């Protein structure tokens, strides 16, 4: 039934899009509808959770709301009176580009998400670190009061964007397995990102060749790290290449020792970072809607030797387009705050350019003011409730020049070389590609430049690396323009005999690092939870009260938090620190309870501890006074690796003790 709920939201999204986007081509309407359906599934249950908590009741109210909203949009759009689409549709054959990438994406989701191996659960290289955070949010939201709190730090509001994980929680409440709820929604969102990028590329280029080039540059993106890999391979008998394919984070797109930090978007962003994936799922269509709102297009066709080429003329975008975009953007902050911010910066930059260059500045100003006012009206309550308190509380906002290239001892690499070796040859084409565009392309390029300048100078979280979530949105927007520029250059140098070879060399240099990284990711395999840990978590899931508090260690791959979704005295600092959350007091309390439970016994009541979980991790991290626990509390579960003690009266009752 969990998958049925997902299908229902998707169907309602398609229904809404038939009315809301009735002037778009069929492929575009279907794409926007599926994306809107996911956005409703992320948002509406949480709206009703303020009244019903995150329960089955909230899900039914959310589905009913989605039905009413979608039906209203369908009827208001009057699609049965639809004429010829005002926007030129993408050739359907280009959709074939998605097929191999979608198969790879499903395979990576399948192998990287709690893959069962002899009772244990495995992950891949990229998901070994991040997956447990998202699992814990999804399992911890079941029945949660709103606004929800961190299960890793009870009493602290969950300020991290959680709606992509809440979508999985909806499925869990209706019986979907945790693993498959993540695999299905993760693969679906990746497919929508690919589909949306094709449509965005077509909207900006109207060139089949440019779309193909842009898609390859997006999916196999990577810098010049392969030069280091192969240089080491030739010198050391190919051991460096073996390390890249079998070592832990030694791929040519992610070598911190060599200051290579521009990772492959699929392997290291979309697969492990579920929140970013949801952000791209909603941001890519927003960029397309922005591009269409700036300039509507009508088609004419000119026949050339390589086939029909679509020639376009400008048509004014209506106020409705900007209003719809405002609502869309306003839903994004708690899906992915960085994507929302990047979209805002791009829009601001495009607005500035258009005001200067447009003959009808009043119309441009009116349209963008409507867009901005609606987006801010919807976004500010989210930002004020969740984002700003966490950012300010963690002291995350500060000036920091040159992203991760600025270390403790100053600049690590020269500015230009850093970006070229990280992003690749594409970086050298960004400016000429922007200058080659007409008004709309230049406006969007200015917006991308604004994102780049802000991300280059300001940090918004404790980890400087996370500014790549801003850089990448600008990068995705610029790739179609770069591809269009490459095609133009290729056509202009028709007299050069080796132009096909030069284009091939450019594509190999731009994609080889990414290809190696994806190959490594496809064969990576690491145990995330042992069979004993899985069995212990299953016991807690089946017997412990939904709001039980468990004393565990601070490991990031914590089975109690990730698989059972129960609250901990203090979870891992690996997540909490980078979210800007203060956790040191609770962390010390957990240590005191393990190491000095006699003198610190009142802390069991202060933190409402129901269970104590002891495994080899806790024994290795703390000087655990196990004799105290053996004397004081009954064992409610035990296997070869894990012992669980029932501390509170309700824990003992739930365990039948």
């Amino acid at each position: 039934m969990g998958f049925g709920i997902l299908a229902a939201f998707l169907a309602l999204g398609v229904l809404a899009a038939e009315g809301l986007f009735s002037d778009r081509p069929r492929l575009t309407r279907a794409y926007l509808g599926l994306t809107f359906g996911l956005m409703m599934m992320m948002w509406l249950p949480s709206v009703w959770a303020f009244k019903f908590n995150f329960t089955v009741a909230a899900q039914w109210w959310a589905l009913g709301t989605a039905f009413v909203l979608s039906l209203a949009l369908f009827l208001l759009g009057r699609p049965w009176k639809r004429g010829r689409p005002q926007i030129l549709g993408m050739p359907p054959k280009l959709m074939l580009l998605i097929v191999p990438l979608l198969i790879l994406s499903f395979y990576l989701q399948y192998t990287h998400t709690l893959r069962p191996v002899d009772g244990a659960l495995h992950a891949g290289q990229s998901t070994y670190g991040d997956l447990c955070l998202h699992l814990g949010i999804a399992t911890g939201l079941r029945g949660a009061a709103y606004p929800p709190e961190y299960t890793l730090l009870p009493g602290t509001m969950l300020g991290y964007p959680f709606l992509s994980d809440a979508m999985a929680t909806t499925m869990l409440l209706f019986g979907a397995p945790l693993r498959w709820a993540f695999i299905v929604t993760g693969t679906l969102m990746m497919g929508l990102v690919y589909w949306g990028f094709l449509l965005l590329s077509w909207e900006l280029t109207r060139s089949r060749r440019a779309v193909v080039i842009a898609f390859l540059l997006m999916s196999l993106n990577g810098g010049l790290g392969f030069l280091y890999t192969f240089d080491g391979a030739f010198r050391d008998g190919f051991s460096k290449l073996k390390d890249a394919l079998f070592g832990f984070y030694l791929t040519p797109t992610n070598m911190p020792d060599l200051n290579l930090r521009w990772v492959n978007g699929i392997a290291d962003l979309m697969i492990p970072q579920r929140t970013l994936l949801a952000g791209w799922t909603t941001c890519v269509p927003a960029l397309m809607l922005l591009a269409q709102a700036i300039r509507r297009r009508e088609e004419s066709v000119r026949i050339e030797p390589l086939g029909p080429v679509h020639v376009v003329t400008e048509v004014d975008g209506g106020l409705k387009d900007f209003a719809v975009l405002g609502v869309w953007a306003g839903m994004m902050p708690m899906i992915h705050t960085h994507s929302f911010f990047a979209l805002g910066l791009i829009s601001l930059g495009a607005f500035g350019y258009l005001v200067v260059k447009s003959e009808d500045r009043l119309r441009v100003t009116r349209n963008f003011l409507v867009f901005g006012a609606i987006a801010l009206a919807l976004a500010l309550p989210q930002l004020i409730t969740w984002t700003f308190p966490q950012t300010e509380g963690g002291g995350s906002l500060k000036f920091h020049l040159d992203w991760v290239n600025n270390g403790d001892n100053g600049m690590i690499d020269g500015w230009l070389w850093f970006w070229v070796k990280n992003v690749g040859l594409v970086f050298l084409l960004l400016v000429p590609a922007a200058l080659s565009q007409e008004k709309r392309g230049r406006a969007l390029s200015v917006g991308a430049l604004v994102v780049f300048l802000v991300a280059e100078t300001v940090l918004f979280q404790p980890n400087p690396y996370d500014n790549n979530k801003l850089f990448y949105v600008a990068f995705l927007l610029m790739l179609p323009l770069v591809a269009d520029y490459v095609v133009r250059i290729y056509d202009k140098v028709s007299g050069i005999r080796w132009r096909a070879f030069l284009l091939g060399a450019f594509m190999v240099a731009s994609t080889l690092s990414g290809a190696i990284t994806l190959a490594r990711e496809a064969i990576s395999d690491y145990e995330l939870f042992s069979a004993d840990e899985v069995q212990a978590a299953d016991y807690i899931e089946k017997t412990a009260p939904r709001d039980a508090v468990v004393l565990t260690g601070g490991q990031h791959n914590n089975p109690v938090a990730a698989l059972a979704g129960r609250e901990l005295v203090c979870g891992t600092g690996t997540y909490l620190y980078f979210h800007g959350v203060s956790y040191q007091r609770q962390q010390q309390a957990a240590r005191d309870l393990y190491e000095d439970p006699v003198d610190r016994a009142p802390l069991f009541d202060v933190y409402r501890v129901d269970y104590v979980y002891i495994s080899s991790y806790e024994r290795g991290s703390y000087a655990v006074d196990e004799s105290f626990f053996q004397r004081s509390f009954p064992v409610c579960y035990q296997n070869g690796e894990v012992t669980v003690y029932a501390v509170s009266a309700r824990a003992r009752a739930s365990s039948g003790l």
Side-chain angles (χ1 to χ4, degrees):
M1 195 170 181
F3 298 104
I5 293 292
L6 171 63
F9 273 106
L10 293 175
L12 290 173
V14 172
L15 177 68
E18 284 296 312
L20 189 59
F21 302 108
S22 60
D23 57 349
R24 267 69 169 183
R26 182 180 294 107
L27 275 178
T28 304
R29 292 198 308 272
Y31 162 69
L32 291 171
L34 292 173
T35 305
F36 185 62
L38 280 186
M39 294 175 76
M40 289 194 295
M41 188 174 176
M42 292 182 204
W43 252 115
L44 293 177
S46 286
V47 172
W48 285 105
F50 280 93
K51 178 175 178 60
F52 297 106
N53 294 346
F54 207 87
T55 59
V56 170
Q59 314 308 313
W60 285 120
W61 278 96
L63 189 60
T65 304
F67 174 77
V68 173
L69 177 62
S70 298
L71 183 61
L73 290 173
F74 176 79
L75 295 175
L76 289 173
R78 295 185 294 180
W80 56 87
K81 293 187 176 182
R82 178 169 51 227
R84 186 173 64 87
Q86 298 179 20
I87 298 175
L88 181 64
M90 182 185 74
K93 287 184 179 180
L94 287 174
M95 290 290 291
L96 294 175
L97 291 169
I98 296 177
V99 175
L101 210 55
L102 193 59
I103 293 173
L104 173 64
S105 299
F106 172 75
Y107 175 78
L108 290 175
Q109 291 281 352
Y110 178 85
T111 58
H112 283 44
T113 308
L114 302 179
R115 184 169 63 89
V117 179
D118 297 329
L121 296 176
H122 285 218
Q125 174 181 258
S126 65
T127 55
Y128 186 82
D130 286 346
L131 178 62
C132 292
L133 167 68
H134 298 289
L135 293 171
I137 293 175
T139 55
L141 280 175
R142 292 171 298 176
Y146 262 55
E149 298 179 350
Y150 278 95
T151 55
L152 299 179
L153 200 69
T156 301
M157 186 170 57
L158 180 59
Y160 180 84
F162 56 84
L163 292 182
S164 64
D165 297 322
M167 175 172 58
T169 309
T170 294
M171 299 175 69
L172 298 184
L173 290 173
F174 287 95
L178 176 62
R179 163 172 157 81
W180 282 101
F182 268 65
I183 290 173
V184 170
T185 55
T187 305
L188 176 60
M189 287 191 287
M190 293 184 76
L192 288 173
V193 170
Y194 304 146
W195 190 352
F197 186 77
L198 286 179
L199 292 172
L200 174 65
S201 299
W202 176 254
E203 172 64 31
L204 294 177
T205 67
R206 293 295 193 261
S207 164
R208 291 174 173 82
R209 290 177 295 165
V211 170
V212 173
I213 291 173
F215 193 75
L216 290 174
L217 292 176
M218 180 276 295
S219 57
L220 298 176
N221 78 287
L224 302 180
F226 70 90
L227 296 175
Y228 296 91
T229 299
F230 283 101
D231 177 61
F234 293 140
R235 287 187 288 104
D236 301 329
F238 290 94
S239 64
K240 292 296 183 183
L241 181 58
K242 182 178 179 181
D243 289 342
L245 290 173
F246 298 99
F248 189 73
Y249 275 115
L250 297 174
T251 60
T253 60
N254 195 352
M255 296 180 178
D257 292 344
L258 296 174
N259 207 22
L260 287 164
R261 308 295 300 280
W262 188 262
V263 296
N264 176 262
I266 294 176
D268 292 305
L269 295 177
M270 284 196 274
I271 289 291
Q273 299 190 36
R274 185 177 170 87
T275 299
L276 175 140
L277 174 58
W280 287 11
T281 303
T282 56
C283 190
V284 170
L287 293 173
M288 182 186 70
L289 291 172
L290 175 62
Q292 291 176 347
I294 291 174
R295 186 177 72 189
R296 287 299 192 91
R297 297 175 168 223
E298 294 176 339
E299 78 172 296
S300 59
V301 177
R302 180 174 70 243
I303 303 298
E304 291 190 354
L306 293 176
V309 175
H310 297 276
V311 182
V312 295
T313 56
E314 183 170 339
V315 180
D316 283 339
L319 192 61
K320 171 195 167 185
D321 298 323
F322 285 92
V324 169
L325 181 58
V327 174
W328 192 287
M331 297 173 68
M332 288 176 57
M334 287 311 291
I335 295 175
H336 189 227
T337 313
H338 284 85
S339 292
F340 167 76
F341 186 40
L343 174 64
L345 292 175
I346 289 170
S347 303
L348 185 63
F351 167 64
Y353 181 87
L354 292 171
V355 163
V356 173
K357 294 294 184 178
S358 178
E359 296 179 358
D360 193 350
R361 296 174 182 174
L362 184 60
R363 175 186 288 272
V364 170
T365 302
R366 181 205 65 180
N367 288 344
F368 275 89
L369 281 179
V370 168
F371 165 31
I374 295 175
L376 287 177
L378 294 173
L380 277 177
Q382 305 169 52
L383 298 172
I384 292 171
T385 301
W386 287 292
T387 307
F388 293 158
Q390 189 147 321
T391 301
E392 294 171 3
S396 304
L397 192 65
K398 62 182 178 181
F399 175 80
H400 181 88
L401 186 64
D402 204 9
W403 191 35
V404 292
N405 191 39
N406 190 348
D408 296 334
N409 299 317
M411 300 302 175
I412 301 170
D413 288 308
W415 181 86
L416 181 59
W417 172 237
F418 167 77
W419 282 106
V420 171
K421 80 174 186 178
N422 272 274
V423 177
L425 300 179
V426 169
F427 188 81
L428 297 174
L429 301 181
L430 293 175
V431 172
L435 295 176
S436 72
Q437 295 294 308
E438 298 179 352
K439 184 170 67 174
R440 180 179 65 164
R442 291 192 177 193
L444 294 173
S445 298
V446 170
L449 177 62
V450 172
V451 174
F452 183 84
L453 292 176
V454 170
E456 270 280 76
T457 54
V458 182
L459 288 185
F460 300 92
Q461 62 286 311
N463 186 5
Y465 172 77
D466 280 347
N467 266 25
N468 70 348
K469 298 170 184 176
L470 297 174
F471 285 121
Y472 250 96
V473 175
F475 178 71
L476 291 176
L477 177 60
M478 290 301 297
L479 279 181
L481 305 185
V482 169
D484 183 58
Y485 181 68
V486 169
V487 170
R488 293 187 191 188
I489 295 298
Y490 185 83
D491 289 340
K492 285 182 179 180
V493 298
S494 57
I496 297 180
R497 185 176 181 181
W498 296 97
R499 65 172 184 159
F501 172 79
L502 293 174
L503 176 60
F506 168 78
M507 293 302 297
V508 169
S510 300
T511 60
L512 185 55
S513 292
I516 294 173
T517 297
L518 284 172
R520 164 63 186 131
E521 203 59 49
I523 61 176
S524 64
D525 179 29
Y526 296 93
E527 183 179 279
L528 191 61
F529 300 111
S530 69
D532 285 342
E533 290 173 324
V534 172
Q535 292 169 10
D538 185 60
Y539 170 81
I540 293 173
E541 167 66 16
K542 291 178 178 177
T543 62
R546 184 67 255 157
D547 60 345
V549 178
V550 185
L551 174 64
T552 73
Q555 65 271 42
H556 87 278
N557 53 334
N558 191 301
V560 176
L563 302 179
R566 294 327 194 255
E567 295 181 356
L568 309 183
V569 172
C570 185
T572 176
T574 302
Y575 300 143
L576 296 173
Y577 172 78
F578 290 116
H579 292 183
V581 175
S582 177
Y583 60 93
Q584 287 74 20
R585 178 174 58 84
Q586 294 91 328
Q587 185 182 60
Q588 184 59 48
R591 178 173 292 277
D592 290 342
L593 285 171
Y594 273 121
E595 296 185 345
D596 190 17
V598 176
D599 292 337
R600 309 296 288 176
L603 291 177
F604 284 105
D605 293 327
V606 171
Y607 289 97
R608 302 181 293 107
V609 177
D610 293 296
Y611 299 89
V612 173
Y613 179 99
I614 300 177
S615 68
S616 58
Y617 180 88
E618 284 75 22
R619 295 184 184 97
S621 301
Y622 311 106
V624 180
D625 186 354
E626 289 201 59
S627 62
F628 169 84
F629 296 110
Q630 292 168 355
R631 294 193 311 269
S632 305
F633 308 120
V635 173
C636 60
Y637 179 83
Q638 189 171 34
N639 60 33
E641 164 69 10
V642 179
T643 301
V644 180
Y645 295 93
V647 176
S648 66
R650 67 172 187 160
R652 298 176 189 181
S654 296
S655 302
L657 300 174

